[in-house]
Amino acid sequence: MEPENLTRVSEFVLLGLSEEPDLQPLLFGLFLSMYLITVLGNLLIVLAVSSDSHLHTPMYFFLSNLSFVDICFTSTTVPKMLVNIQTQSKVITYGGCITQMYFFLFFASLDNFLLTVMAYDRFVAICHPLHYTVIMHPRLCGRLVLVSCTISVLNSLLQSLMVLRLSFCADLQIPHFFCELKQMVQLACSDTFLNKLVMYFATVLLGAGPLAGIFYSYSKIVSCICAMPSVQGKYKAFSTCVSHLSVVSLFYLTILGEYLSSPAAHNAQTSAAASVLYTVVTPMLNPFIYSLRNKDIKGALKRSFEMTVQIGQSPD
């Protein structure tokens, strides 16, 4: 590409999920509803865990962190999309695009590591129940979250810096509803070999690595459950893993399918629609998955609600 064909980038255009004017009100109402449900549902879990002393355990500590990260994860993309639809402006500044991409990668990676840490927590709880409180002490739990945050920061920083070195041509339209890394790299005019190498290496390392850890944890969990003598004990042990397994399956099947698929398999519009599954739908469903089958969470929410009603009815 000749130097004169390159341009100084000040802003990008986010094409969104659809350019049909008649669909914009529907998309706005749908995504606003899903975003509010996501924030409210995950916020309730955070409040329930923090306010109820019965839930001050490693399992719920990681769950509250996951819920908080899900709120942040969705908030990096959906609010901007809603603003664009409402104002009928699809423009995002260059700095805003890089910032959005950085935080999206950070929270996606952190979500990934927290799911892995939660699998390890279930492994210790089921396979080493007598040593659970000794192994999963608060200091270790804090360190696991801190290490997850550190790796996520380094990954998102590296990917963002790699994008900053790219040059872009006059076509600055991103066929997506947020500044997605793969779309940004494909939009560049300069050589992107190093970017693609780092991107796919990080995807394999930070995707396959934690996934292998989850598989290993659950292989040990299955062995321990099969060795239990009573059927009731097996059911009780497995029931504590169902929610986590559901969330892991939903998260990995959508995000890995999107990032590892061939570019020829689907167009950019289909890719953007598929991204909705892991950016919006998965964080929205997580509170329902964890609370519907969890008596502790439902009990904590009920006690919090009753306490709020009592405070509201108390005389001044």
Side-chain angles (χ1 to χ4, degrees):
M1 188 65 64
E2 296 296 325
E4 58 266 26
N5 291 336
L6 302 180
T7 182
R8 185 178 180 85
V9 179
S10 61
E11 59 187 29
F12 291 96
V13 177
L14 295 172
L15 297 181
L17 292 172
S18 174
E19 297 186 63
E20 292 291 333
D22 295 340
L23 287 178
Q24 301 309 307
L26 176 63
L27 289 174
F28 181 84
L30 179 63
F31 277 85
L32 177 62
S33 301
M34 290 194 294
Y35 179 66
L36 293 176
I37 292 172
T38 300
V39 173
L40 180 61
N42 285 286
L43 189 60
L44 284 174
I45 288 183
V46 173
L47 294 175
V49 172
S50 59
S51 62
D52 196 317
S53 59
H54 297 91
L55 301 183
H56 292 175
T57 62
M59 173 182 168
Y60 293 111
F61 169 74
F62 295 130
L63 176 58
S64 63
N65 276 275
L66 180 69
S67 295
F68 176 74
V69 170
D70 279 342
I71 293 174
C72 298
F73 182 45
T74 308
S75 298
T76 59
T77 58
V78 177
K80 176 59 180 174
M81 177 189 180
L82 295 175
V83 170
N84 287 356
I85 294 175
Q86 186 67 19
T87 60
Q88 297 182 355
S89 172
K90 300 181 178 182
V91 172
I92 183 171
T93 64
Y94 179 78
C97 195
I98 297 297
T99 302
Q100 185 186 61
M101 184 181 65
Y102 171 84
F103 282 107
F104 176 84
L105 291 171
F106 169 70
F107 289 118
S109 179
L110 187 53
D111 218 332
N112 179 28
F113 281 112
L114 285 176
L115 289 174
T116 308
V117 169
M118 292 172 75
Y120 174 71
D121 172 73
R122 291 298 82 210
F123 158 68
V124 176
I126 294 174
C127 298
H128 305 282
L130 299 179
H131 300 95
Y132 178 69
T133 55
V134 177
I135 297 174
M136 300 301 295
H137 53 81
R139 188 176 299 175
L140 176 63
C141 295
R143 286 175 179 172
L144 288 172
V145 173
L146 181 61
V147 170
S148 300
C149 286
T150 303
I151 297 175
S152 301
V153 165
L154 293 176
N155 172 59
S156 54
L157 183 61
L158 174 63
Q159 300 285 4
S160 300
L161 291 175
M162 292 295 294
V163 172
L164 286 173
R165 60 181 283 275
L166 297 176
S167 300
F168 297 89
C169 299
D171 184 14
L172 301 175
Q173 294 184 337
I174 301 175
H176 220 296
F177 64 94
F178 67 94
C179 294
E180 198 259 350
L181 175 61
K182 190 163 66 172
Q183 296 292 341
M184 293 282 289
V185 172
Q186 290 176 356
L187 201 63
C189 289
S190 54
D191 182 32
T192 59
F193 173 76
L194 190 58
N195 291 77
K196 290 178 180 178
L197 184 65
V198 172
M199 182 173 65
Y200 284 108
F201 178 76
T203 301
V204 172
L205 186 64
L206 303 182
L211 187 58
I214 292 174
F215 277 131
Y216 177 79
S217 295
Y218 274 103
S219 66
K220 293 294 184 180
I221 288 172
V222 170
S223 298
C224 291
I225 291 177
C226 291
M228 292 179 180
S230 67
V231 176
Q232 186 177 2
K234 292 179 180 179
Y235 175 79
K236 184 178 180 181
F238 181 73
S239 64
T240 63
C241 303
V242 171
S243 298
H244 180 258
L245 273 173
S246 302
V247 172
V248 167
S249 301
L250 194 61
F251 181 81
Y252 274 102
L253 289 178
T254 53
I255 197 169
L256 288 181
E258 164 65 17
Y259 274 87
L260 297 180
S261 60
S262 170
H266 54 274
N267 56 34
Q269 209 71 27
T270 306
S271 175
S275 299
V276 174
L277 292 174
Y278 67 86
T279 57
V280 184
V281 176
T282 300
M284 181 185 69
L285 293 179
N286 284 357
F288 295 100
I289 293 173
Y290 275 106
S291 61
L292 290 177
R293 294 181 57 88
N294 194 307
K295 295 180 180 179
D296 294 332
I297 291 290
K298 288 191 287 188
L301 290 173
K302 183 179 179 181
R303 286 189 292 271
S304 298
F305 177 75
E306 291 173 349
M307 187 179 300
T308 304
V309 172
Q310 290 176 359
I311 293 174
Q313 292 178 346
S314 62
D316 295 334

